[in-house]
């Protein structure tokens, strides 16, 4: 039976991973008492005793924890931003191409994609890989997310009795265009430019809708929406990431539609001139904890959906 340790189990992402794994009979969960969970020596012992070690920590703490792991048989899966573009770490988005599954299976250092970045990369990378979208494209990205993505402090802001009434309105952030996900969005898609990124947090717990708008004139070789749909259909057949002919109903999409789920749905809308590429998922699911568990399943050689809520 494989041993799993979640370093940072008390956080939002760590708790969701724990919920996904607690009922499984193929794993042994290693845990620390509340008194020991910040004890460096105890954490180091657990990290090196585990077959799978999840890091659900702030970036600096994740780097420190990763350096503690000296056991060559321990696979580290980091949910922070710390290692997403770091040498020696594999970017854990298996659906992007078939060879990713085998690379993840063999890797000992896996970085879980960022929540906003997951949708953008799922939409854009297949098109740059197919030669439909040029690497020189200057893209924009609009993303609506639930407040759980801000962690415990933001959750408390929204859920505290007598909260600021302004929180009922959506809030755009990342206004300086230096959001921490931009680097992986650019690098993983092979883009020459970082996208113009507009993330918005709104008054719902979890869920995410990422939209990348493009003009058909920006596509290569006379490609249009139909060619994009063909790429997505062939690549995203499920069970975790799947193409849909449409999302939502009555001309509207709710960003919270897949809350509590670990899958992602991809669709294309718009018209022959202005095309909307859309990814719908849960920021805590395929955008964080669900993706982490999916990567673990691949490493262990179990069913990729084991423990996931699809």
């Amino acid at each position: 039976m494989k041993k799993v340790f979640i370093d940072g189990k008390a956080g939002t992402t760590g708790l969701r991973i724990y919920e996904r794994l607690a009922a499984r009979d193929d794993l042994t969960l290693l845990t620390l008492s509340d008194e020991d969970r910040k004890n460096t020596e105890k954490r180091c012992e657990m990290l090196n005793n585990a077959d799978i070690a999840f890091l659900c920590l702030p970036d600096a703490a994740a780097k420190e924890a990763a350096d503690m792991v000296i056991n060559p048989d321990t696979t580290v899966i980091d949910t922070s931003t710390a290692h997403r573009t770091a040498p020696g770490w594999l970017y854990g988005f298996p659906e992007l191409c078939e060879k990713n599954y085998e690379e993840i299976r063999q890797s000992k250092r896996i970085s879980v994609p960022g929540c906003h970045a997951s949708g953008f990369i799922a939409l854009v990378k297949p098109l740059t890989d197919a030669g439909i979208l040029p690497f020189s494209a200057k893209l924009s990205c609009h993303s609506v997310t639930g407040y759980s993505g801000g962690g415990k402090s933001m959750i408390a802001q929204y859920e505290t009795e007598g909260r600021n009434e302004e929180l009922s309105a959506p809030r755009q952030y990342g206004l300086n265009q230096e959001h921490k996900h931009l680097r992986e969005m650019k690098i993983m898609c092979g883009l020459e430019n970082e996208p113009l990124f507009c993330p918005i947090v709104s008054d719902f717990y979890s869920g995410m809708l990422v939209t990348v708008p493009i003009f058909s004139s920006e596509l290569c070789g006379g490609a249009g929406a139909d060619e994009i749909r063909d790429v997505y259909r062939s690549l995203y057949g499920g069970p975790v990431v799947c193409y849909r002919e449409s999302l939502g109903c009555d001309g509207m999409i709710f960003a919270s539609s897949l809350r509590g789920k670990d899958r992602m749905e991809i669709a294309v809308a718009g018209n022959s001139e202005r095309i909307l590429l859309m990814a719908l998922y849960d920021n805590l699911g395929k955008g964080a904890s669900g993706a982490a568990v999916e990567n673990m399943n691949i490493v262990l050689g179990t069913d990729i959906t084991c423990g996931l809520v699809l």
Side-chain angles (χ1 to χ4, degrees):
M1 191 173 293
K2 298 297 184 179
K3 294 174 291 185
V4 177
F5 176 59
I6 305 170
D7 196 4
K9 173 179 168 290
T12 307
T13 300
L15 282 171
R16 180 71 76 94
I17 292 175
Y18 183 83
E19 291 170 357
R20 296 289 187 264
L21 303 185
R24 290 178 55 165
D25 58 9
D26 60 329
L27 304 173
T28 297
L29 294 180
L30 306 179
T31 60
L32 290 173
S33 66
D34 289 342
E35 293 77 19
D36 288 337
R37 65 185 180 87
K38 292 187 178 181
N39 182 311
T40 301
E41 185 176 339
K42 296 286 189 181
R43 287 173 53 224
C44 185
E45 180 181 344
M46 287 293 188
L47 286 165
N48 286 282
N49 194 32
D51 296 294
I52 304 287
F54 289 102
L55 307 184
C56 303
L57 304 162
D59 287 2
K63 291 178 181 178
E64 180 184 55
D67 289 341
M68 291 181 193
V69 181
I70 58 174
N71 182 349
D73 296 324
T74 299
T75 298
V76 181
I77 301 177
D78 183 11
T79 68
S80 80
T81 311
H83 298 105
R84 288 177 185 155
T85 58
W89 288 75
L90 188 67
Y91 197 74
F93 201 131
E95 291 85 4
L96 294 175
C97 66
E98 189 62 35
K99 71 182 180 68
N100 284 5
Y101 290 89
E102 186 57 34
E103 290 181 350
I104 291 171
R105 188 174 292 110
Q106 297 179 6
S107 180
K108 294 298 181 183
R109 296 293 184 271
I110 301 166
S111 185
V112 178
C115 54
H116 297 285
S118 293
F120 179 84
I121 293 167
L123 295 169
V124 174
K125 180 172 170 54
L127 305 186
T128 55
D129 285 349
I132 289 177
L133 192 66
F135 296 115
S136 60
K138 294 184 177 180
L139 302 174
S140 62
C141 177
H142 175 271
S143 183
V144 180
T145 182
Y147 58 77
S148 59
K152 285 188 171 181
S153 60
M154 184 172 286
I155 292 172
Q157 270 189 309
Y158 275 89
E159 297 186 351
T160 299
E161 188 175 353
R163 69 177 191 179
N164 188 332
E165 191 173 326
E166 289 183 349
L167 293 179
S168 61
R171 295 189 293 170
Q172 185 167 322
Y173 62 103
L175 303 181
N176 60 3
Q177 289 301 303
E178 294 179 359
H179 194 282
K180 63 182 181 179
H181 290 176
L182 285 169
R183 179 174 172 81
E184 64 186 285
M185 293 161 82
K186 174 187 174 183
I187 290 176
M188 292 309 301
C189 295
L191 296 171
E192 297 172 7
N193 309 286
E194 292 178 345
L196 180 64
F197 182 39
C198 301
I200 295 174
V201 61
S202 194
D203 190 11
F204 59 98
Y205 182 75
S206 70
M208 181 165 278
L209 175 63
V210 173
T211 303
V212 178
I214 54 175
F215 288 99
S216 60
S217 58
E218 298 174 331
L219 302 176
C220 301
D226 288 341
E227 285 75 16
I228 293 173
R229 290 186 180 99
D230 287 343
V231 170
Y232 291 160
R233 284 191 195 100
S234 64
L235 186 61
Y236 298 136
V240 178
V241 183
C242 48
Y243 170 76
R244 300 285 188 233
E245 292 299 330
S246 64
L247 300 175
C249 60
D250 298 327
M252 303 185 78
I253 302 173
F254 295 93
S256 61
S257 295
L258 293 182
R259 62 186 178 276
K261 305 296 184 182
D262 294 315
R263 72 178 186 273
M264 174 186 287
E265 297 183 352
I266 302 290
V268 180
N271 55 41
S272 61
E273 295 180 1
R274 298 180 302 282
I275 303 168
L276 298 177
L277 314 177
M278 296 176 293
L280 182 67
Y281 52 109
D282 187 340
N283 56 288
L284 296 181
K286 182 59 172 170
S289 305
V293 173
E294 179 187 1
N295 277 284
M296 182 198 72
N297 288 337
I298 295 172
V299 170
L300 297 180
T302 60
D303 185 332
I304 195 172
T305 67
C306 189
L308 299 183
V309 180
L310 300 175

mmCIF file of all heavy atoms in Angstrom, residues 92-125:
data_model
loop_
_atom_site.group_PDB
_atom_site.id
_atom_site.type_symbol
_atom_site.label_atom_id
_atom_site.label_comp_id
_atom_site.label_asym_id
_atom_site.label_seq_id
_atom_site.Cartn_x
_atom_site.Cartn_y
_atom_site.Cartn_z
ATOM 1 N N GLY A 92 2.518 19.270 -14.804
ATOM 2 C CA GLY A 92 1.564 18.163 -14.696
ATOM 3 C C GLY A 92 0.217 18.368 -15.331
ATOM 4 O O GLY A 92 -0.805 18.370 -14.633
ATOM 5 N N PHE A 93 0.195 18.508 -16.653
ATOM 6 C CA PHE A 93 -1.072 18.606 -17.385
ATOM 7 C C PHE A 93 -1.076 17.499 -18.443
ATOM 8 O O PHE A 93 -0.701 17.726 -19.586
ATOM 9 C CB PHE A 93 -1.220 19.979 -18.046
ATOM 10 C CG PHE A 93 -2.640 20.356 -18.391
ATOM 11 C CD1 PHE A 93 -3.146 21.592 -18.036
ATOM 12 C CD2 PHE A 93 -3.479 19.479 -19.065
ATOM 13 C CE1 PHE A 93 -4.453 21.957 -18.351
ATOM 14 C CE2 PHE A 93 -4.785 19.819 -19.382
ATOM 15 C CZ PHE A 93 -5.269 21.067 -19.022
ATOM 16 N N PRO A 94 -1.480 16.289 -18.079
ATOM 17 C CA PRO A 94 -1.293 15.134 -18.961
ATOM 18 C C PRO A 94 -2.044 15.215 -20.275
ATOM 19 O O PRO A 94 -1.583 14.681 -21.293
ATOM 20 C CB PRO A 94 -1.803 13.965 -18.110
ATOM 21 C CG PRO A 94 -2.701 14.577 -17.091
ATOM 22 C CD PRO A 94 -2.099 15.917 -16.796
ATOM 23 N N GLU A 95 -3.194 15.877 -20.300
ATOM 24 C CA GLU A 95 -4.047 15.847 -21.494
ATOM 25 C C GLU A 95 -3.485 16.633 -22.671
ATOM 26 O O GLU A 95 -4.004 16.525 -23.793
ATOM 27 C CB GLU A 95 -5.444 16.390 -21.158
ATOM 28 C CG GLU A 95 -6.265 15.499 -20.243
ATOM 29 C CD GLU A 95 -5.979 15.717 -18.775
ATOM 30 O OE1 GLU A 95 -5.181 16.632 -18.444
ATOM 31 O OE2 GLU A 95 -6.548 14.981 -17.944
ATOM 32 N N LEU A 96 -2.442 17.415 -22.462
ATOM 33 C CA LEU A 96 -1.928 18.257 -23.539
ATOM 34 C C LEU A 96 -1.301 17.457 -24.676
ATOM 35 O O LEU A 96 -1.294 17.896 -25.814
ATOM 36 C CB LEU A 96 -0.915 19.261 -22.982
ATOM 37 C CG LEU A 96 -1.500 20.304 -22.016
ATOM 38 C CD1 LEU A 96 -0.386 21.162 -21.445
ATOM 39 C CD2 LEU A 96 -2.553 21.167 -22.706
ATOM 40 N N CYS A 97 -0.753 16.287 -24.369
ATOM 41 C CA CYS A 97 -0.261 15.388 -25.421
ATOM 42 C C CYS A 97 -0.044 14.005 -24.826
ATOM 43 O O CYS A 97 0.136 13.856 -23.616
ATOM 44 C CB CYS A 97 1.011 15.905 -26.090
ATOM 45 S SG CYS A 97 2.448 15.970 -25.032
ATOM 46 N N GLU A 98 -0.055 12.999 -25.666
ATOM 47 C CA GLU A 98 -0.026 11.614 -25.207
ATOM 48 C C GLU A 98 1.256 11.290 -24.433
ATOM 49 O O GLU A 98 1.221 10.554 -23.444
ATOM 50 C CB GLU A 98 -0.160 10.671 -26.408
ATOM 51 C CG GLU A 98 -0.351 9.205 -26.033
ATOM 52 C CD GLU A 98 -1.622 8.952 -25.233
ATOM 53 O OE1 GLU A 98 -2.630 9.636 -25.497
ATOM 54 O OE2 GLU A 98 -1.595 8.088 -24.340
ATOM 55 N N LYS A 99 2.393 11.852 -24.859
ATOM 56 C CA LYS A 99 3.652 11.511 -24.187
ATOM 57 C C LYS A 99 3.719 12.034 -22.759
ATOM 58 O O LYS A 99 4.522 11.551 -21.950
ATOM 59 C CB LYS A 99 4.844 12.024 -24.996
ATOM 60 C CG LYS A 99 5.031 13.519 -25.011
ATOM 61 C CD LYS A 99 6.216 13.903 -25.872
ATOM 62 C CE LYS A 99 6.429 15.412 -25.909
ATOM 63 N NZ LYS A 99 6.868 15.964 -24.619
ATOM 64 N N ASN A 100 2.855 13.009 -22.425
ATOM 65 C CA ASN A 100 2.863 13.551 -21.064
ATOM 66 C C ASN A 100 2.537 12.491 -20.018
ATOM 67 O O ASN A 100 3.055 12.529 -18.902
ATOM 68 C CB ASN A 100 1.857 14.697 -20.935
ATOM 69 C CG ASN A 100 2.369 15.976 -21.567
ATOM 70 O OD1 ASN A 100 3.429 15.987 -22.177
ATOM 71 N ND2 ASN A 100 1.627 17.050 -21.432
ATOM 72 N N TYR A 101 1.661 11.552 -20.364
ATOM 73 C CA TYR A 101 1.266 10.521 -19.400
ATOM 74 C C TYR A 101 2.476 9.705 -18.968
ATOM 75 O O TYR A 101 2.670 9.446 -17.769
ATOM 76 C CB TYR A 101 0.187 9.610 -19.998
ATOM 77 C CG TYR A 101 -1.148 10.278 -20.174
ATOM 78 C CD1 TYR A 101 -1.461 10.951 -21.342
ATOM 79 C CD2 TYR A 101 -2.110 10.227 -19.171
ATOM 80 C CE1 TYR A 101 -2.695 11.569 -21.514
ATOM 81 C CE2 TYR A 101 -3.352 10.843 -19.323
ATOM 82 C CZ TYR A 101 -3.627 11.509 -20.496
ATOM 83 O OH TYR A 101 -4.857 12.123 -20.651
ATOM 84 N N GLU A 102 3.285 9.278 -19.929
ATOM 85 C CA GLU A 102 4.454 8.466 -19.595
ATOM 86 C C GLU A 102 5.496 9.289 -18.856
ATOM 87 O O GLU A 102 6.152 8.792 -17.932
ATOM 88 C CB GLU A 102 5.053 7.861 -20.868
ATOM 89 C CG GLU A 102 6.185 6.871 -20.606
ATOM 90 C CD GLU A 102 5.768 5.716 -19.700
ATOM 91 O OE1 GLU A 102 4.594 5.280 -19.759
ATOM 92 O OE2 GLU A 102 6.626 5.244 -18.924
ATOM 93 N N GLU A 103 5.658 10.544 -19.245
ATOM 94 C CA GLU A 103 6.627 11.397 -18.563
ATOM 95 C C GLU A 103 6.229 11.620 -17.099
ATOM 96 O O GLU A 103 7.072 11.609 -16.201
ATOM 97 C CB GLU A 103 6.753 12.732 -19.297
ATOM 98 C CG GLU A 103 7.454 12.608 -20.650
ATOM 99 C CD GLU A 103 7.585 13.941 -21.345
ATOM 100 O OE1 GLU A 103 6.966 14.929 -20.876
ATOM 101 O OE2 GLU A 103 8.293 14.012 -22.363
ATOM 102 N N ILE A 104 4.937 11.829 -16.868
ATOM 103 C CA ILE A 104 4.446 11.994 -15.496
ATOM 104 C C ILE A 104 4.653 10.702 -14.711
ATOM 105 O O ILE A 104 5.079 10.723 -13.549
ATOM 106 C CB ILE A 104 2.964 12.408 -15.498
ATOM 107 C CG1 ILE A 104 2.815 13.842 -16.033
ATOM 108 C CG2 ILE A 104 2.348 12.296 -14.100
ATOM 109 C CD1 ILE A 104 1.384 14.270 -16.283
ATOM 110 N N ARG A 105 4.361 9.580 -15.334
ATOM 111 C CA ARG A 105 4.491 8.282 -14.657
ATOM 112 C C ARG A 105 5.922 8.060 -14.162
ATOM 113 O O ARG A 105 6.133 7.459 -13.111
ATOM 114 C CB ARG A 105 4.071 7.165 -15.615
ATOM 115 C CG ARG A 105 3.980 5.794 -14.988
ATOM 116 C CD ARG A 105 3.415 4.767 -15.953
ATOM 117 N NE ARG A 105 2.008 5.036 -16.245
ATOM 118 C CZ ARG A 105 1.532 5.460 -17.409
ATOM 119 N NH1 ARG A 105 2.353 5.653 -18.429
ATOM 120 N NH2 ARG A 105 0.251 5.674 -17.581
ATOM 121 N N GLN A 106 6.893 8.562 -14.897
ATOM 122 C CA GLN A 106 8.288 8.319 -14.558
ATOM 123 C C GLN A 106 8.909 9.440 -13.718
ATOM 124 O O GLN A 106 10.008 9.274 -13.182
ATOM 125 C CB GLN A 106 9.104 8.145 -15.840
ATOM 126 C CG GLN A 106 8.695 6.938 -16.664
ATOM 127 C CD GLN A 106 9.511 6.813 -17.942
ATOM 128 O OE1 GLN A 106 10.451 7.560 -18.173
ATOM 129 N NE2 GLN A 106 9.147 5.854 -18.781
ATOM 130 N N SER A 107 8.215 10.548 -13.594
ATOM 131 C CA SER A 107 8.806 11.711 -12.938
ATOM 132 C C SER A 107 8.771 11.613 -11.415
ATOM 133 O O SER A 107 7.855 11.025 -10.834
ATOM 134 C CB SER A 107 8.074 12.977 -13.379
ATOM 135 O OG SER A 107 8.622 14.119 -12.762
ATOM 136 N N LYS A 108 9.747 12.239 -10.778
ATOM 137 C CA LYS A 108 9.788 12.332 -9.312
ATOM 138 C C LYS A 108 9.507 13.757 -8.842
ATOM 139 O O LYS A 108 9.396 13.993 -7.641
ATOM 140 C CB LYS A 108 11.163 11.887 -8.789
ATOM 141 C CG LYS A 108 11.453 10.414 -9.019
ATOM 142 C CD LYS A 108 10.449 9.527 -8.273
ATOM 143 C CE LYS A 108 10.756 8.060 -8.472
ATOM 144 N NZ LYS A 108 9.733 7.196 -7.804
ATOM 145 N N ARG A 109 9.395 14.703 -9.763
ATOM 146 C CA ARG A 109 9.124 16.091 -9.423
ATOM 147 C C ARG A 109 8.084 16.637 -10.399
ATOM 148 O O ARG A 109 8.376 16.849 -11.574
ATOM 149 C CB ARG A 109 10.409 16.933 -9.482
ATOM 150 C CG ARG A 109 11.487 16.539 -8.476
ATOM 151 C CD ARG A 109 11.056 16.834 -7.050
ATOM 152 N NE ARG A 109 12.105 16.544 -6.066
ATOM 153 C CZ ARG A 109 12.268 15.368 -5.481
ATOM 154 N NH1 ARG A 109 11.478 14.343 -5.814
ATOM 155 N NH2 ARG A 109 13.212 15.180 -4.572
ATOM 156 N N ILE A 110 6.888 16.841 -9.877
ATOM 157 C CA ILE A 110 5.762 17.273 -10.716
ATOM 158 C C ILE A 110 5.169 18.544 -10.136
ATOM 159 O O ILE A 110 4.877 18.626 -8.947
ATOM 160 C CB ILE A 110 4.678 16.175 -10.782
ATOM 161 C CG1 ILE A 110 5.265 14.885 -11.355
ATOM 162 C CG2 ILE A 110 3.487 16.647 -11.609
ATOM 163 C CD1 ILE A 110 4.380 13.671 -11.155
ATOM 164 N N SER A 111 4.981 19.537 -10.991
ATOM 165 C CA SER A 111 4.356 20.792 -10.582
ATOM 166 C C SER A 111 2.942 20.849 -11.131
ATOM 167 O O SER A 111 2.713 20.637 -12.329
ATOM 168 C CB SER A 111 5.176 21.975 -11.103
ATOM 169 O OG SER A 111 4.655 23.187 -10.634
ATOM 170 N N VAL A 112 1.981 21.124 -10.270
ATOM 171 C CA VAL A 112 0.576 21.203 -10.672
ATOM 172 C C VAL A 112 0.317 22.572 -11.301
ATOM 173 O O VAL A 112 0.695 23.602 -10.737
ATOM 174 C CB VAL A 112 -0.350 20.996 -9.458
ATOM 175 C CG1 VAL A 112 -1.816 21.136 -9.854
ATOM 176 C CG2 VAL A 112 -0.094 19.630 -8.832
ATOM 177 N N PRO A 113 -0.320 22.636 -12.473
ATOM 178 C CA PRO A 113 -0.569 23.919 -13.123
ATOM 179 C C PRO A 113 -1.397 24.876 -12.266
ATOM 180 O O PRO A 113 -2.196 24.455 -11.426
ATOM 181 C CB PRO A 113 -1.346 23.515 -14.389
ATOM 182 C CG PRO A 113 -0.908 22.115 -14.661
ATOM 183 C CD PRO A 113 -0.724 21.495 -13.312
ATOM 184 N N GLY A 114 -1.215 26.174 -12.511
ATOM 185 C CA GLY A 114 -2.006 27.183 -11.821
ATOM 186 C C GLY A 114 -3.452 27.142 -12.266
ATOM 187 O O GLY A 114 -3.776 26.686 -13.376
ATOM 188 N N CYS A 115 -4.350 27.641 -11.441
ATOM 189 C CA CYS A 115 -5.783 27.534 -11.742
ATOM 190 C C CYS A 115 -6.145 28.297 -13.017
ATOM 191 O O CYS A 115 -6.693 27.720 -13.958
ATOM 192 C CB CYS A 115 -6.627 27.987 -10.551
ATOM 193 S SG CYS A 115 -6.257 29.623 -9.920
ATOM 194 N N HIS A 116 -5.857 29.601 -13.075
ATOM 195 C CA HIS A 116 -6.150 30.360 -14.295
ATOM 196 C C HIS A 116 -5.354 29.815 -15.481
ATOM 197 O O HIS A 116 -5.873 29.692 -16.598
ATOM 198 C CB HIS A 116 -5.795 31.837 -14.110
ATOM 199 C CG HIS A 116 -6.571 32.547 -13.056
ATOM 200 N ND1 HIS A 116 -7.888 32.943 -13.219
ATOM 201 C CD2 HIS A 116 -6.211 32.962 -11.821
ATOM 202 C CE1 HIS A 116 -8.292 33.573 -12.131
ATOM 203 N NE2 HIS A 116 -7.305 33.595 -11.269
ATOM 204 N N ALA A 117 -4.086 29.502 -15.220
ATOM 205 C CA ALA A 117 -3.212 29.035 -16.293
ATOM 206 C C ALA A 117 -3.715 27.743 -16.922
ATOM 207 O O ALA A 117 -3.544 27.518 -18.128
ATOM 208 C CB ALA A 117 -1.798 28.835 -15.755
ATOM 209 N N SER A 118 -4.349 26.880 -16.144
ATOM 210 C CA SER A 118 -4.840 25.599 -16.673
ATOM 211 C C SER A 118 -5.795 25.813 -17.843
ATOM 212 O O SER A 118 -5.690 25.145 -18.879
ATOM 213 C CB SER A 118 -5.540 24.808 -15.564
ATOM 214 O OG SER A 118 -4.633 24.403 -14.578
ATOM 215 N N GLY A 119 -6.746 26.724 -17.672
ATOM 216 C CA GLY A 119 -7.704 26.984 -18.739
ATOM 217 C C GLY A 119 -7.053 27.612 -19.954
ATOM 218 O O GLY A 119 -7.298 27.207 -21.101
ATOM 219 N N PHE A 120 -6.203 28.607 -19.729
ATOM 220 C CA PHE A 120 -5.531 29.283 -20.842
ATOM 221 C C PHE A 120 -4.686 28.308 -21.641
ATOM 222 O O PHE A 120 -4.751 28.256 -22.880
ATOM 223 C CB PHE A 120 -4.662 30.421 -20.297
ATOM 224 C CG PHE A 120 -3.913 31.172 -21.359
ATOM 225 C CD1 PHE A 120 -4.526 32.200 -22.055
ATOM 226 C CD2 PHE A 120 -2.590 30.856 -21.658
ATOM 227 C CE1 PHE A 120 -3.826 32.903 -23.038
ATOM 228 C CE2 PHE A 120 -1.891 31.548 -22.637
ATOM 229 C CZ PHE A 120 -2.516 32.580 -23.332
ATOM 230 N N ILE A 121 -3.877 27.515 -20.965
ATOM 231 C CA ILE A 121 -2.977 26.584 -21.640
ATOM 232 C C ILE A 121 -3.761 25.497 -22.359
ATOM 233 O O ILE A 121 -3.414 25.088 -23.477
ATOM 234 C CB ILE A 121 -1.972 25.997 -20.637
ATOM 235 C CG1 ILE A 121 -1.027 27.103 -20.148
ATOM 236 C CG2 ILE A 121 -1.186 24.842 -21.240
ATOM 237 C CD1 ILE A 121 -0.199 26.735 -18.933
ATOM 238 N N ALA A 122 -4.842 25.004 -21.736
ATOM 239 C CA ALA A 122 -5.679 23.987 -22.392
ATOM 240 C C ALA A 122 -6.264 24.504 -23.699
ATOM 241 O O ALA A 122 -6.465 23.739 -24.647
ATOM 242 C CB ALA A 122 -6.802 23.551 -21.453
ATOM 243 N N LEU A 123 -6.527 25.799 -23.760
ATOM 244 C CA LEU A 123 -7.117 26.400 -24.954
ATOM 245 C C LEU A 123 -6.076 26.768 -26.009
ATOM 246 O O LEU A 123 -6.297 26.588 -27.211
ATOM 247 C CB LEU A 123 -7.913 27.652 -24.569
ATOM 248 C CG LEU A 123 -9.140 27.431 -23.688
ATOM 249 C CD1 LEU A 123 -9.671 28.762 -23.172
ATOM 250 C CD2 LEU A 123 -10.231 26.673 -24.440
ATOM 251 N N VAL A 124 -4.944 27.285 -25.574
ATOM 252 C CA VAL A 124 -3.979 27.886 -26.508
ATOM 253 C C VAL A 124 -2.911 26.911 -26.990
ATOM 254 O O VAL A 124 -2.594 26.878 -28.192
ATOM 255 C CB VAL A 124 -3.323 29.121 -25.854
ATOM 256 C CG1 VAL A 124 -2.215 29.684 -26.750
ATOM 257 C CG2 VAL A 124 -4.377 30.192 -25.592
ATOM 258 N N LYS A 125 -2.345 26.103 -26.101
ATOM 259 C CA LYS A 125 -1.234 25.233 -26.510
ATOM 260 C C LYS A 125 -1.592 24.291 -27.666
ATOM 261 O O LYS A 125 -0.772 24.129 -28.587
ATOM 262 C CB LYS A 125 -0.706 24.437 -25.308
ATOM 263 C CG LYS A 125 0.469 23.511 -25.677
ATOM 264 C CD LYS A 125 1.099 22.882 -24.455
ATOM 265 C CE LYS A 125 2.094 21.794 -24.837
ATOM 266 N NZ LYS A 125 3.111 22.279 -25.797
#
